[in-house]
Amino acid sequence: MNITINELKELNKNDYQIIDIRDEIEISHGIIPGAVAAQPEEISTNENIDRSKKLVICCSRGKYSVEVAEHLKEQGYDAVSLEGGYAAWLLDYFQQQEQNADDEFAKNVEQSLRKKFKKKIWSKFTKAINTYELVKPGDRIAVCISGGKDSMLMAKCFQELKLHNKFDFEVKFLVMDPGYSPANRRVIEENARRLHIPITIFESDIFESVYNIEKNPCYLCARMRRGHLYHYAQELGCNKIALGHHYDDVIETILMGMLYGAQIQSMMPKLHSTNFEGMELIRPLYLVREDDIKAWRDYNGLRFIQCACKFTDTCTTCNNEENRSKRMEIKELIKTLKEVNPYVEGNIFKSVENVNLDTMICYKTGGEKHHFLETYDELG
C-alpha cells in the first residue's frame, strides 16, 4: 500500500500521477512538480486526474495518505501512499542538489532580493522597518525561523539589512524545536544550510505537553512557543523577536476578528511583551504580499514546509475541516470581494488606520472599556 521515493523513481513517469491531498495553505509553501492538488473527496471527479494511472497519494508525512489510498483501493483504483509524504520527497530533493552549487545558489537568492524582487519585497521590508521603527541602534534581534517560506525570507532580508548596516544592530537566527519529527527538522536544517542562514536551534517539549489537550491545543501550543522564544532570545541577550507575519495575515486577521470574534482589532507591526520585561515582538514583513513571497520562492526553486508539527497528519485540531477552513474562508471572501473592488485589500488594511472613535458605540483602551454615552450629553 506504500511506495517509497526510490521505488517511485524506478517507475515510468507516464505510468503514475501524484495526488497531493494537503490543504491549500500547506501547498502554498511548496508542491512536488507535476503533482495534482486535490482533496480526497475530489479525486473521483477532478478533471486533472488520470484515473487510469497509478495514483500516488501524498500528504505531509505519509500518515493521512495511507487511509485515503486504502479507501481508493477499495473503490477499484490502483492507489498507493507515498511513504514519508512531501517531507520525504523534499529531503530526497535536497540530497540530489550538488554540494558545490550551494555557494552559487545562496548568492543567486540574495541577488534576486536586490534586483528582481527589490520593489515588491526588499523595498516593502525596509519601508516597514522605517515606518514602524522596528529596528533601532543597539538592537539585538532574534529572527525566529519556523521553517516556512515567510520566516526564511525574513531571515534573508535581515542578512541583506546587515550588509547595509546604517547603524549598529545584531541579529541571531533562532529555530525552536518543540518536538519536530526528524524529517521536518532535517528539512529546516537543510534549507538553512543551502541559504547560508547560520541558525541556532534550541529544543523544548511543547508538542508533547499539548498533545493530549482537547480544548484549543493549537492556541496553547502557539502561546507556549512564543513564551519559549522570548525566554531563549532573552538568554541570548536579545531585546526583540522578529516573526514572519505578512500583509495578507494582517488583513485576514482584521476580517476574522470581525466575522468570528465580534471585535475590531488588527495585527500590530510591533508589541511590547507583557511577560518579558524589555522585550518586543516585531513583524518586518508587515507590508509584503504573500503572492510576492511565493513568487520569490518559486523563482529561486525553494521548497519549504508549512507546519512542522509532527502531529499534523493526524491532529484532530490542525487537520479538521472547521479549523482548517476558517482562514481559507476569509481568503476566498477577500478574493471574491476583489473581483468587484480591486482596492478592497488596501481598504481593509487602511480601515484600522482611519478609526473614527466618534462613531464607535464602545471601544477599549488600556484594557478598559468605554461607552459613547459616557460623554454623549457633555458633547450635546
Side-chain angles (χ1 to χ4, degrees), residues 108-344:
N108 288 338
V109 171
E110 291 157 7
Q111 187 81 344
S112 72
L113 283 175
R114 299 184 195 115
K115 293 190 174 181
K116 183 174 179 63
F117 296 97
K118 180 178 180 179
K119 183 177 179 180
K120 291 189 174 181
I121 292 179
W122 173 247
S123 293
K124 291 184 178 180
F125 172 81
T126 55
K127 182 179 179 180
I129 295 290
N130 295 324
T131 301
Y132 305 115
E133 300 180 354
L134 303 183
V135 180
K136 296 182 178 180
D139 276 346
R140 191 178 177 93
I141 302 166
V143 178
C144 301
I145 298 172
S146 64
K149 66 186 189 310
D150 309 325
S151 60
M152 286 292 188
L153 169 63
M154 178 176 65
K156 293 308 295 180
C157 285
F158 266 108
Q159 286 182 320
E160 187 69 18
L161 193 65
K162 278 294 292 177
L163 290 177
H164 295 271
N165 226 19
K166 293 181 178 179
F167 51 78
D168 186 47
F169 72 97
E170 294 183 47
V171 290
K172 294 285 185 180
F173 300 100
L174 193 58
V175 175
M176 180 181 64
D177 182 347
Y180 292 151
S181 66
N184 283 335
R185 175 155 170 165
R186 287 200 301 273
V187 167
I188 295 172
E189 291 171 334
E190 189 65 18
N191 267 321
R193 182 187 66 78
R194 295 183 71 222
L195 289 169
H196 289 184
I197 301 171
I199 57 175
T200 297
I201 301 179
F202 75 99
E203 298 177 353
S204 70
D205 60 355
I206 292 175
F207 285 169
E208 294 296 339
S209 300
V210 303
Y211 186 55
N212 293 316
I213 302 295
E214 293 185 8
K215 188 175 181 180
N216 297 327
C218 292
Y219 172 77
L220 179 61
C221 179
R223 289 281 301 232
M224 291 177 68
R225 278 189 285 177
R226 186 168 297 182
H228 277 68
L229 287 169
Y230 271 128
H231 178 73
Y232 196 81
Q234 206 167 42
E235 285 189 349
L236 290 177
C238 297
N239 64 311
K240 293 179 179 178
I241 65 170
L243 301 184
H245 297 113
H246 48 66
Y247 185 97
D248 295 69
D249 289 325
V250 178
I251 61 176
E252 288 162 17
T253 297
I254 293 169
L255 280 190
M256 286 184 77
M258 294 173 66
L259 301 182
Y260 293 116
Q263 57 186 339
I264 298 176
Q265 63 177 16
S266 179
M267 178 183 283
M268 298 295 286
K270 64 180 181 180
L271 293 167
H272 288 291
S273 171
T274 54
N275 297 317
F276 294 85
E277 189 176 352
M279 295 292 291
E280 276 186 80
L281 180 157
I282 61 173
R283 296 183 168 107
L285 298 184
Y286 201 78
L287 301 177
V288 179
R289 298 304 308 264
E290 185 176 24
D291 281 347
D292 294 326
I293 299 175
K294 291 178 183 177
W296 168 80
R297 175 202 65 194
D298 295 341
Y299 177 80
N300 289 293
L302 294 163
R303 290 180 170 83
F304 304 109
I305 47 178
Q306 181 261 335
C307 178
C309 172
K310 68 180 179 182
F311 306 120
T312 298
D313 287 331
T314 54
C315 177
T316 55
T317 299
C318 294
N319 209 41
N320 72 33
E321 189 60 34
E322 180 183 356
N323 287 280
R324 185 173 57 189
S325 66
K326 282 183 179 178
R327 191 163 286 273
M328 290 310 304
E329 258 184 49
I330 296 298
K331 285 180 179 290
E332 287 301 315
L333 174 60
I334 293 173
K335 184 178 178 181
T336 302
L337 292 171
K338 193 177 177 181
E339 292 174 1
V340 179
N341 177 5
Y343 305 107
V344 70

Side-chain angles (χ1 to χ4, degrees), residues 357 360-365 368-372 374:
L357 290 183
M360 293 291 106
I361 302 296
C362 293
Y363 66 92
K364 286 183 181 179
T365 180
E368 186 177 344
K369 190 172 183 178
H370 297 274
H371 196 280
F372 85 103
E374 292 174 8

